[in-house]
Amino acid sequence: MDMATSTIIFIIAAFALGAVTIMKRDSLPPKMRRGLALISLVMIAFAFFLIVYALFTMGEGTL
């Protein structure tokens, strides 16, 4: 698996975890809810960083 595929899988997984955490927040215990929310927030922030980094380095190898 190359780096781009791994990055795309991570981005999809991060956003899916965030979506599931938001949709199921009423059925989660309060301690687990807080932990999942923090983990989701960190993963989504890192996914945004990876997206921005990929956009900045998109045309770098063509010179």
Side-chain angles (χ1 to χ4, degrees), residues 39-57:
I39 290 170
S40 299
L41 183 68
V42 169
M43 287 179 67
I44 290 172
F46 188 64
F48 273 119
F49 168 76
L50 288 176
I51 292 169
V52 171
Y53 179 76
L55 290 174
F56 275 125
T57 60

Side-chain angles (χ1 to χ4, degrees), residues 3-42:
M3 191 66 162
T5 306
S6 300
T7 303
I8 291 170
I9 290 172
F10 175 78
I11 291 169
I12 292 170
F15 284 110
L17 177 63
V20 169
T21 303
I22 289 172
M23 288 187 290
K24 294 293 183 178
R25 69 178 175 254
D26 295 333
S27 63
L28 294 171
K31 282 190 168 187
M32 182 184 254
R33 187 183 320 152
R34 177 172 285 177
L36 277 176
L38 288 174
I39 290 170
S40 299
L41 183 68
V42 169

